[in-house]
Amino acid sequence: MDIIKNKVAKIIAEKTTVENKLQAICNLLESTISYYDWVGFYFKNGDKEELKLAEYTGEETEHTIIPFGKGICGQVAVSNSNFVVQDVSEQDNYISCGWKVKSEIVIPVFVNGENIGQIDIDSHTANIFTPKDEELLEYVSEKVATIL
């Protein structure tokens, strides 16, 4: 995971747009970690109580806008806490992005103490996420916060 962290730090330091950096991080995570099947960022949509999809890698999703409180991402927007779901079929408040998705991890991004967005990972494998994933994604979240 340290190699990935170093690559993320290099992406953050590049002289390019925020959008390019976010896309590069999505591409890196999805291509490096075999069970990261969809990687994306959602950010608060202006003053609205909703999240808007930003950069992502993986299958297209119709969930470009997610109301606060709805699904895993929407719950993280309200709770301000990490949410690791090892088996999405056990979640009542889950928005399905496709039948292949078995587990999901969502880590908030804080800027000046405010939850302004999140990184969202879907996996086609159940019970796959470990505390190492959470630690890596918290690191990514902290790095991303420095460019927003």
Side-chain angles (χ1 to χ4, degrees):
M1 295 284 185
D2 285 344
I3 293 168
I4 298 171
K5 287 181 181 179
N6 290 337
K7 288 181 178 177
V8 167
K10 282 182 183 160
I11 290 169
I12 294 294
E14 287 174 5
K15 299 273 188 240
T16 184
T17 65
V18 170
E19 293 78 14
N20 286 346
K21 291 176 187 187
L22 294 176
Q23 189 63 59
I25 290 169
C26 290
N27 295 346
L28 170 71
L29 293 174
E30 191 265 344
S31 66
T32 308
I33 301 176
S34 63
Y35 53 92
Y36 284 19
D37 297 301
W38 191 95
V39 179
F41 288 95
Y42 283 92
F43 292 105
K44 190 166 188 262
N45 191 8
D47 292 334
K48 298 177 184 164
E49 295 280 301
E50 64 186 25
L51 297 164
K52 186 174 184 181
L53 180 63
E55 286 66 34
Y56 72 94
T57 301
E59 292 181 14
E60 284 198 30
T61 178
E62 62 201 39
H63 303 291
T64 56
I65 300 287
I66 298 176
F68 282 14
K70 186 101 173 97
I72 308 306
C73 291
Q75 289 177 75
V76 169
V78 174
S79 73
N80 300 322
S81 300
N82 297 354
F83 201 159
V84 181
V85 180
Q86 297 291 8
D87 183 351
V88 296
S89 70
E90 295 176 359
Q91 284 294 315
D92 291 335
N93 187 0
Y94 173 70
I95 302 171
S96 175
C97 287
W99 62 271
K100 294 180 196 167
V101 178
K102 303 291 185 237
S103 56
E104 181 173 9
I105 183 170
V106 179
I107 308 293
V109 176
F110 293 97
V111 174
N112 299 325
E114 182 188 356
N115 180 352
I116 57 97
Q118 53 202 228
I119 185 167
D120 177 20
I121 313 285
D122 290 344
S123 178
H124 298 166
T125 309
N127 304 304
I128 194 73
F129 296 117
T130 70
K132 286 198 179 303
D133 293 294
E134 212 167 343
E135 180 194 328
L136 170 64
L137 296 171
E138 285 172 354
Y139 174 85
V140 171
S141 175
E142 288 165 17
K143 284 295 185 188
V144 165
T146 66
I147 60 169
L148 298 175

